[in-house]
Amino acid sequence: GNDPEEMEMPIRPNPEELLPKLRAFLERDREQTQEKPILVFYGGEPLTNWPFVKLVMDTFDCRFILQSNSTLLDTVPTDYLEKFESILVSIDGRRDVVDRNRGEGTYDRVVKNCTAVRQRARVKNMVARGCCMEGAAVDEEVRHLMSLQQAGADAAHPKPLFDNVYWQLNTGFDFPMRESFPIWVRDSYNPGISRLVDEWVAAMRDHGRVAGIVPFVALMKTLLEQAAEDRARPADAAPAPRPIIPIRCGIGHDTFSITTDGRLGGCPCGIGEAWNTLGYTHPKNRYLGRHPDLEEIVTPAASLPNCLTVREPCPSCDIRDVCGGRCVYASKTKYWGDEGFDAVCATVRHLVAELRRVRPEVEQLIVEGRVPRAPFEYPAQEFSLEIIP
């Protein structure tokens, strides 16, 4: 069903009930990690309830991130825009693709709002987050988003509207997988990834610029580190097993979802799934009766890290040390079926292979000082970005 009750989604938060319990939970987290918590406002659309978002930002000493469709971004006061460490904007690419996916006029409204926000606020990091599927060309969509400029920019003084770009494959968790998807991957998506990788390296070679294409930057960092480890190993030493990389989105490892009624979960897409309900920020919860196998407990923050893991074939995969594993939700539910799961993983294999192909040149450009190393340290996971599309 699509109504909140059937989806087991809370209808509206009750701040008087939630915030004291959230405070206690966050304090336990801070005691455990000795770090300031990161709160990501995620929906639905968070800005449809701006008073609640504002109240949370006023109440807690945290790092804040907003993921939004940005149709209401122009309504956020400037001082709050500047408090966000990153603003993730849902925009899929060119105008026709966005409007087909999200409704006529959405592209113009989002670009107008983002441009206006950039003019009046010192936004720390604005990221374009797209969905990619049949009807889209990944290289053209990314190229377009990276080309958009802020007001007042010119060829001599470029000011990108978006600092970074990433995308997710819109496979819909359908079962069976759409018949058109593998064909689109073969004929459009994978060739587009190859072209995009070549253009990314060409920009480094010709202009000394590392474009902020999040999957490329983050995975290349891992490949560079692995190459350095291999060189440091004595010639007569057997290769050591690579350390297992936790799933790149952080879900169930160091990233968790808190619903506005206090339920604690892993993946925000899995609200209502028994395997995804990890506990509660407080013991008395109106949804407790939904899952009788779960105890009425207050989950301590210390018990959460690494509590959700991916299933086979990910643990046995030969690129797990780069990929980190397929989406937890897809791994747990397998709604795609094995064939659909393999079709999506094939896109990741292609992405990793293409980045491995260019890794030696990227490494040489860094060694020669023609490109800086700093862009590869971009904290994508802290900003709740999807590194694996």
Side-chain angles (χ1 to χ4, degrees), residues 242-289:
R242 302 278 192 201
I244 296 298
I245 295 176
I247 189 165
R248 292 280 191 167
C249 67
I251 292 299
H253 168 61
D254 59 8
T255 303
F256 302 91
S257 304
I258 300 176
T259 62
T260 49
D261 67 348
R263 281 176 293 159
L264 194 62
C267 178
C269 298
I271 298 302
E273 300 276 359
W275 58 264
N276 193 51
T277 303
L278 306 177
Y280 305 90
T281 56
H282 55 92
K284 292 183 179 179
N285 184 289
R286 66 191 178 98
Y287 285 91
L288 274 171

Side-chain angles (χ1 to χ4, degrees), residues 125-366:
N125 186 247
M126 184 173 280
V127 182
R129 176 263 179 198
C131 284
C132 199
M133 61 182 295
E134 298 93 320
V138 64
D139 54 326
E140 294 186 30
E141 313 316 331
V142 171
R143 195 180 300 121
H144 174 76
L145 293 170
M146 298 293 287
S147 74
L148 294 175
Q149 297 289 309
Q150 299 179 43
D154 56 38
H157 304 91
K159 295 191 294 182
L161 183 60
F162 299 112
D163 301 291
N164 302 88
V165 174
Y166 76 105
W167 64 94
Q168 294 174 276
L169 288 173
N170 183 9
T171 49
F173 301 115
D174 295 331
F175 180 75
M177 175 66 73
R178 299 187 301 266
E179 292 182 2
S180 56
F181 179 77
I183 298 170
W184 171 75
V185 167
R186 181 196 67 203
D187 296 342
S188 176
Y189 181 78
N190 279 352
I193 290 293
S194 298
R195 288 190 294 270
L196 204 55
V197 167
D198 286 339
E199 292 173 16
W200 185 62
V201 177
M204 295 187 224
R205 184 191 313 123
D206 299 339
H207 306 291
R209 180 174 60 86
V210 181
I213 303 175
V214 172
F216 294 3
V217 168
L219 293 177
M220 183 57 69
K221 178 179 186 288
T222 296
L223 295 175
L224 291 170
E225 290 173 347
Q226 291 179 350
E229 291 168 1
D230 290 343
R231 285 193 300 273
R233 188 176 62 245
D236 58 349
R242 302 278 192 201
I244 296 298
I245 295 176
I247 189 165
R248 292 280 191 167
C249 67
I251 292 299
H253 168 61
D254 59 8
T255 303
F256 302 91
S257 304
I258 300 176
T259 62
T260 49
D261 67 348
R263 281 176 293 159
L264 194 62
C267 178
C269 298
I271 298 302
E273 300 276 359
W275 58 264
N276 193 51
T277 303
L278 306 177
Y280 305 90
T281 56
H282 55 92
K284 292 183 179 179
N285 184 289
R286 66 191 178 98
Y287 285 91
L288 274 171
R290 300 285 180 87
H291 300 303
D293 54 317
L294 295 172
E295 296 178 3
E296 188 172 338
I297 59 171
V298 179
T299 301
S303 70
L304 290 174
N306 302 310
C307 64
L308 284 178
T309 57
V310 290
R311 298 162 53 190
E312 290 291 350
C314 293
S316 303
C317 179
D318 60 318
I319 63 167
R320 173 77 186 277
D321 61 334
V322 179
C323 167
R326 186 67 257 167
C327 158
V328 168
Y329 187 84
S331 176
K332 293 289 188 183
T333 61
K334 285 292 184 74
Y335 289 149
W336 293 326
D338 290 339
E339 186 174 343
F341 197 90
D342 291 344
V344 175
C345 285
T347 68
V348 183
R349 288 186 172 277
H350 180 78
L351 170 62
V352 171
E354 289 298 275
L355 291 171
R356 279 184 168 148
R357 172 176 63 85
V358 300
R359 192 270 307 160
E361 182 174 3
V362 173
E363 188 171 42
Q364 188 61 33
L365 290 170
I366 295 172

Side-chain angles (χ1 to χ4, degrees), residues 45 68-74 88-90 109-110 113-114:
E45 174 46 51
S68 171
N69 65 28
S70 298
T71 57
L72 297 173
L73 193 63
D74 58 321
L88 317 184
V89 176
S90 295
R109 184 173 180 181
V110 169
N113 284 351
C114 291

